[in-house]
Amino acid sequence: TPSEFIRNFCIIAHIDHGKSTLADRMLGITGIVANRDMRAQYLDRMDIERERGITIKSQAVRMPWSDDAGQSYALNMIDTPGHVDFSYEVSRSLAACEGAILLVDAAQGIEAQTLANLYLAMENDLTIIPVLNKIDLPAADPDKYALELANLIGGKPEDVLRVSGKTGMGVEELLDRVIRDIPAPVGNVDAAPRAMIFDSVYDAYRGVVTYVRMVDGTLKPRERLQMMSTGTTHDLLEIGVSSPEPVPSKGLSVGEVGYLITGVKDVRLSKVGDTITHAQKPATEALPGYTDPKPMVFSGLYPIDGSDYPILREALDKLKLSDAALNYEPETSVALGFGFRCGFLGLLHLEIITERLEREFGLDLIATAPSVIYEVTTEDKKVVTVTNPSEFPTGKINSVSEPMVRVAILAPKDYVGTIMELCQSRRGSLLGMDYLGEDRVELRYNMPLAEIVFDFFDHLKSRTQGYASLDYEPSGEQEADLVKVDILLQGEAVDAFSAIVHRDNAYAYGVLMTERLSKLIPRQQFEVPIQAAIGARIIARESIRAIRKDVLAKCYGGDISRKRKLLEKQKEGKKRMKMVGRVEVPQEAFIAALSGE
Ligand code: GTP
């Protein structure tokens, strides 16, 4: 297709505002997915995505559509995830487009991620088409929210389209508007080819499938390709478009969006953000790339059954093939044995990876409390990067700095008080507050990432009856009075329970953990003190009283086989016990203490 008849666009929206439903509807209306093949959320392929109703990996699909004069166009729609953890995926999809549909739920109005995604789109100079969705809902208030949208992006409320992804109302007009308003891609057909990789997906049967946007020139099957960042070359085995099933073609040219296959097995060899060119006559300059997604949240993953360790390693290797943002390295814990320290983009990413490990690989895992990256400067000016409390330097500390985020919270104005209270209790400092229309407010805070990775979102939701929405972006590092709290059993620190917390919260953490453990650890033959400490200073203490455990006490009389059975059972029970010093701790106690059950 000549580039003047191509339109590349994406849909940006807050989570649950109906992006996937609208995308599915477009596939139906343009006729590329017959109704009988239509299943809910055709584009969300991963099981977890479908179950949780969220989009994780972006996908591109090509749809035919004609204007009033009968001229046919190729519309390339690039699906983007809506969750904050995956905003790096949004930005790379945006770079492959000339326009964006800004989709807003007509019963909800603008939410935190609507704004975050809109700003990203504006930074990429995209043409924005404002659209209100779900106008079939009785609670929809399109007049009110059209005004809100028009105020936000400039323009008239009448220009805001009204659609329903569910019933299909207004979707044809929307496709017409895509052709009319979004500019055609421009590039140099005769130049050396340059294709931008905006996604790379591992497929068990076909190896890595790379999604590209052609910027200049043409790529054809059987050509020799070169990755511009590394200089490595590959044979182009297949190139084509997703429609939405892969359809091989004779080549892709300027402005086109499609997929290619080279036979590599690891997404890292076909790196998102890299530029692909010809090996024989390469382009001289790579396209601007993306910054690599940086892990923000770290957690140790341990198999509950220690003999599953090799399976866990293999499973992580496999997931890494399709998820370049996943990081891991081996780690050992006195309490939990052999495992991996893993780096994630955020909490949802962590949850999804652990769930996939358990579901797809049949593993039973225990995850240690999530931690962020701390920079610790010791007295002799050494800077230590700490992602695991056990790496926290002992001895005198000059300063500790922690990652900060700029948080945007949107909520009805009645909740402002309770939100401010919550943010203050999480060491947030208010940056500003704006009214969006009469009854909704945007609150902006600077807050430590560590304070929001645990249960901030849950608290925010329950304090606001689910009405608040949240978005955040990194905003650098800041010094804070942070200390490491150790939990000691009979004087020995249990590594899995150490935590880095603000000095003001250290006492509360110490009391919580010692109380929890005193209930979970069974009584032993001797008294077991449980202590919380900062360095050598004890800040909380509980103890478990001694008991003389006699398994034979219950057997009166001489039934020797029953006695033997009981002794066997006790021996077996011992195997699942971990020894911390002289103290036997059942694995379940660790798990329960870490999960807060
Ligand atoms: P993410 O992919 O996670 O960002 O969510 P999404 O924006 O793709 O939302 P999705 O399409 O999954 O829709 C969210 C919910 O809204 C689902 O329960 C849909 O059935 C519902 N929904 C979507 N579009 C419409 C609509 O036009 N009308 C009504 N009444 N409900 C809709």
Side-chain angles (χ1 to χ4, degrees), residues 12-14 17 101-105 108-122 128-132 143-157 160 410 434-437 440-442 444:
I12 52 179
H14 188 75
H17 281 201
I101 293 173
L102 179 67
L103 194 69
V104 172
D105 187 324
Q108 304 272 319
I110 294 161
E111 298 283 5
Q113 286 145 40
T114 316
L115 292 181
N117 288 330
L118 173 66
Y119 298 148
L120 282 177
M122 295 192 336
I128 312 283
I129 302 179
V131 178
L132 288 173
D143 291 337
K144 175 178 169 188
Y145 294 122
L147 192 63
E148 203 180 79
L149 257 178
N151 284 340
L152 177 67
I153 60 172
K156 292 180 294 221
V160 177
L410 264 70
D434 283 312
Y435 275 81
L436 289 161
R440 263 145 32 93
V441 177
E442 182 193 19
R444 290 183 304 278

Side-chain angles (χ1 to χ4, degrees), residues 23-33 62-65 75 175:
D24 284 349
R25 179 62 61 183
M26 287 179 167
L27 302 187
I29 285 179
T30 56
I32 58 165
V33 178
R62 175 174 164 137
M63 306 176 287
W65 193 246
L75 308 188
L175 290 166

Side-chain angles (χ1 to χ4, degrees), residues 334 489-490 492 579-584:
V334 180
L489 280 188
Q490 258 215 336
E492 285 211 35
M579 295 299 291
V580 178
R582 277 168 62 219
V583 187
E584 286 181 346

Side-chain angles (χ1 to χ4, degrees), residues 271-331:
K271 214 173 113 225
V272 168
D274 204 350
T275 304
I276 300 181
T277 189
H278 271 159
Q280 277 84 16
K281 40 181 181 49
T284 48
E285 219 179 297
L287 298 161
Y290 309 93
T291 42
D292 276 332
K294 262 207 336 250
M296 308 269 279
V297 176
F298 292 80
S299 170
L301 294 185
Y302 292 84
I304 286 179
D305 179 350
S307 64
D308 281 346
Y309 178 75
I311 306 178
L312 176 59
R313 173 194 294 276
E314 254 175 58
L316 284 168
D317 285 346
K318 277 217 179 95
L319 290 185
K320 177 82 191 174
L321 290 178
S322 59
D323 185 350
L326 171 66
N327 276 277
Y328 54 92
E329 51 187 64
E331 173 180 82

Side-chain angles (χ1 to χ4, degrees), residues 352-370:
I352 286 169
I353 294 290
T354 20
E355 200 172 317
R356 289 187 67 184
L357 288 168
E358 301 200 309
R359 195 187 296 193
E360 294 169 29
F361 301 91
L363 288 160
D364 274 329
L365 296 175
I366 170 164
T368 62

Side-chain angles (χ1 to χ4, degrees), residues 16-21 41 53-55 134 136-137 164-166:
D16 276 349
H17 281 201
K19 184 165 37 77
S20 306
T21 309
Q41 297 178 3
I54 51 166
T55 311
K134 307 196 189 179
D136 61 294
L137 282 178
S164 164
K166 192 169 184 178

Side-chain angles (χ1 to χ4, degrees), residues 3 28 48 51 75 123 157 190 205 211 229 240 319 328 425 432 490 518 530 543 563 582:
S3 59
I48 294 181
E51 275 169 32
L75 308 188
E123 276 165 29
D190 304 313
Y205 301 103
Y211 289 89
S229 70
L319 290 185
Y328 54 92
S425 75
Q490 258 215 336
S518 70
I530 307 174
S543 66
K563 271 185 194 164
R582 277 168 62 219

Side-chain angles (χ1 to χ4, degrees), residues 36-169:
R36 68 186 139 81
D37 294 337
M38 200 72 194
R39 53 175 200 268
Q41 297 178 3
Y42 194 94
L43 294 176
D44 291 350
R45 279 150 196 269
M46 239 189 267
D47 282 348
I48 294 181
E49 292 190 19
R50 209 166 292 133
E51 275 169 32
R52 295 182 169 229
I54 51 166
T55 311
I56 301 162
K57 282 303 233 183
S58 34
Q59 298 276 355
V61 46
R62 175 174 164 137
M63 306 176 287
W65 193 246
S66 300
D67 65 10
D68 293 339
Q71 171 63 49
S72 74
Y73 288 76
L75 308 188
N76 294 309
M77 172 170 60
I78 293 162
D79 200 21
T80 56
H83 192 276
V84 282
D85 279 7
F86 301 95
S87 67
Y88 82 102
E89 301 232 4
V90 179
S91 35
R92 61 201 218 192
S93 311
L94 295 183
C97 302
E98 278 75 35
I101 293 173
L102 179 67
L103 194 69
V104 172
D105 187 324
Q108 304 272 319
I110 294 161
E111 298 283 5
Q113 286 145 40
T114 316
L115 292 181
N117 288 330
L118 173 66
Y119 298 148
L120 282 177
M122 295 192 336
E123 276 165 29
N124 280 278
D125 288 327
L126 302 196
T127 300
I128 312 283
I129 302 179
V131 178
L132 288 173
N133 189 29
K134 307 196 189 179
I135 53 163
D136 61 294
L137 282 178
D141 192 348
D143 291 337
K144 175 178 169 188
Y145 294 122
L147 192 63
E148 203 180 79
L149 257 178
N151 284 340
L152 177 67
I153 60 172
K156 292 180 294 221
E158 307 85 88
D159 291 337
V160 177
L161 274 176
R162 300 173 179 201
V163 309
S164 164
K166 192 169 184 178
T167 66
M169 202 189 324

